[in-house]
Amino acid sequence: MKFIKKLFILSNILLAIASFICYVSPNIDPEINWYFSFFGLSFPILLIFNILFIGFWLFIDIKLTLISLITLACGWVFIKGFFAFNTEKSSNGKNDFSVVSFNISNAMSAYDSNSALRKEKTKEMEQFIKRFKDEDVICLQETGPFALDLLRKNFPTWNFHTLHKGSVILTKNPLIKKGEIDFGTITNSCLWADIVINFDTLRFYSIHLQSNRISKDADEMIEKGNLKDKKIWLGIKGILRKYRNFHVKRASQAKLVKSHAETSPYPTILCGDLNDTPISYTYAHLSSGLKDAFYERGTGIGTTYSGKIPFLRIDYIFSSPSVKALTFQVIKENYSDHYPIAALFELKESSK
């Protein structure tokens, strides 16, 4: 019995060490060392096991709950990146503006090879996106020709910034300047636009960083995985190789966006699909000096990816310090493999 208890203590200590490595990982550039990024990716799993250990030690030896309690206390700031406990702020309406960010996956949820079903699904999709007509700015990602046609049809009077590269910015407000940060790809892209809202100008970014391209592989392994099968281990090796290559590429793209945003003469709003969790170098680098709307005003679990990998928050809205988040919402309706996110902001008087 003593041996088993010691084994559990050792397991808990190793879990705590892994958790602390996880806390450090966002500060390590994957272009220098990419191994640490795996610890950040595994944070939700580490969190669950720490909670389980606390429950376990409550019945065995209450003093030993301190191992995981101290571990979780030290990582509280990271826990808030996944699970928020905020209340909404009231609005006076004077300097408010609303923003939606959505990886629309080319509106493929509306497509079907059967023409009758496609017509029905397209109508549903149109009804869904029409709900955003009262917003000031909509930032979209993975917007191919099919989705773009739907958007132009349903937002005929809005200003569009699109280069047929996936990212799109729509606004019903005056758009005075626009441009692109070229990643050298079509799907993964970043567009920016200077938009006049309430007589102030803000710069908006619609970002889609390098995809991991592992979600389908991971879903397949979760459904059919048998660890005794050699093919599964080859699949795991392939996933790790993809993750390494694309994580490094994503960090490089994040640096380009951050450098550009730092030159903005206006308050900035960065929206999009980063394909990385809040415990990552990509998130830490892009959010530096900015505020995360979910962190400020979100409530509950912040999952934005609707696939089988649990607790993935990879879609964000960041804002300059002079822009205050009043509300934040994850719209958990399945019209893509991502959920739309929406925020209401207030531009502080001192920023004028």
Side-chain angles (χ1 to χ4, degrees):
M1 186 68 183
K2 286 184 178 179
F3 173 76
I4 294 174
K5 184 177 179 181
K6 286 180 179 178
L7 191 62
F8 273 103
I9 292 171
L10 177 61
S11 299
N12 201 171
I13 290 170
L14 290 173
L15 177 66
I17 292 169
S19 298
F20 279 102
I21 294 173
C22 176
Y23 302 158
V24 172
S25 64
N27 300 310
I28 299 171
D29 189 337
E31 292 186 281
I32 297 171
N33 190 321
W34 65 275
Y35 295 103
F36 283 86
S37 63
F38 287 111
F39 288 91
L41 188 66
S42 64
F43 175 78
I45 298 169
L46 298 175
L47 174 63
I48 290 168
F49 274 103
N50 272 301
I51 292 170
L52 289 175
F53 263 113
I54 290 170
F56 175 76
W57 291 127
L58 281 173
F59 294 98
I60 306 298
D61 188 340
I62 196 167
K63 296 190 297 296
L64 292 172
T65 60
L66 288 172
I67 300 172
S68 284
L69 281 172
I70 292 170
T71 301
L72 294 183
C74 291
W76 178 248
V77 67
F78 297 109
I79 293 173
K80 282 194 69 177
F82 290 85
F83 310 96
F85 311 94
N86 299 297
T87 57
E88 296 183 352
K89 285 278 186 180
S90 58
S91 161
N92 62 19
K94 184 180 177 183
N95 299 311
D96 295 354
F97 64 94
S98 55
V99 181
V100 169
S101 181
F102 182 26
N103 182 325
I104 199 170
S105 296
N106 195 27
M108 289 310 293
S109 67
Y111 185 81
D112 197 288
S113 55
N114 182 297
S115 59
L117 284 174
R118 183 166 65 249
K119 186 177 180 180
E120 184 181 330
K121 289 181 178 181
T122 299
K123 186 178 179 181
E124 286 181 19
M125 186 72 182
E126 288 180 330
Q127 288 174 343
F128 177 68
I129 61 176
K130 279 179 182 178
R131 286 162 51 180
F132 302 135
K133 281 196 167 185
D134 292 331
E135 313 300 336
D136 289 293
V137 179
I138 304 173
C139 293
L140 297 160
Q141 302 84 42
E142 285 199 67
T143 309
F146 180 64
L148 199 56
D149 286 345
L150 286 182
L151 292 166
R152 291 197 183 281
K153 176 184 174 183
N154 289 281
F155 297 84
T157 62
W158 283 46
N159 294 311
F160 277 68
H161 176 25
T162 174
L163 296 176
H164 302 284
K165 282 194 172 186
S167 293
V168 174
I169 299 175
L170 288 76
T171 180
K172 58 186 178 184
N173 297 286
L175 194 159
I176 59 173
K177 193 175 181 181
K178 58 188 178 181
E180 174 195 15
I181 300 172
D182 191 1
F183 295 156
T185 68
I186 295 175
T187 302
N188 303 112
S189 57
C190 176
L191 298 185
W192 61 269
D194 295 337
I195 299 171
V196 179
I197 298 176
N198 300 328
F199 304 104
D200 289 285
T201 304
L202 295 97
R203 177 164 292 179
F204 291 82
Y205 291 82
S206 182
I207 309 164
H208 183 207
L209 299 187
Q210 177 64 53
S211 305
N212 286 308
R213 298 180 188 172
I214 62 172
S215 57
K216 287 183 180 178
D217 297 339
D219 287 351
E220 220 173 278
M221 288 174 61
I222 290 168
E223 283 184 5
K224 305 174 183 177
N226 180 357
L227 294 178
K228 293 179 182 179
D229 189 343
K230 288 183 179 179
K231 289 182 179 179
I232 291 298
W233 288 104
L234 288 173
I236 292 172
K237 188 177 179 181
I239 286 174
L240 294 179
R241 191 185 305 112
K242 282 183 181 180
Y243 181 78
R244 176 197 64 197
N245 295 339
F246 296 141
H247 192 68
V248 170
K249 195 169 185 179
R250 199 158 48 244
S252 177
Q253 293 169 348
K255 290 175 185 176
L256 287 174
V257 175
K258 187 65 175 177
S259 296
H260 190 280
E262 287 176 340
T263 67
S264 172
Y266 310 113
T268 57
I269 305 289
L270 275 71
C271 304
D273 173 10
L274 303 191
N275 276 306
D276 247 327
T277 72
I279 305 185
S280 65
Y281 176 85
T282 299
Y283 175 93
H285 190 74
L286 268 178
S287 64
S288 176
L290 302 174
K291 298 188 295 185
D292 182 336
F294 171 77
Y295 192 94
E296 296 288 317
R297 290 286 162 242
T299 303
I301 300 172
T303 303
T304 65
Y305 177 68
S306 63
K308 290 187 174 66
I309 303 174
F311 303 116
L312 273 186
R313 183 164 86 95
I314 56 178
D315 301 88
Y316 307 92
I317 302 177
F318 302 124
S319 65
S320 291
S322 60
V323 182
K324 181 172 70 175
L326 300 175
T327 67
F328 180 88
Q329 181 186 9
V330 179
I331 303 167
K332 293 192 175 178
E333 297 189 40
N334 292 308
Y335 289 93
S336 167
D337 56 353
H338 292 250
Y339 298 124
I341 53 177
L344 179 67
F345 292 99
E346 179 182 57
L347 189 61
K348 297 177 183 178
E349 293 287 345
S350 58
S351 67
K352 291 186 177 182

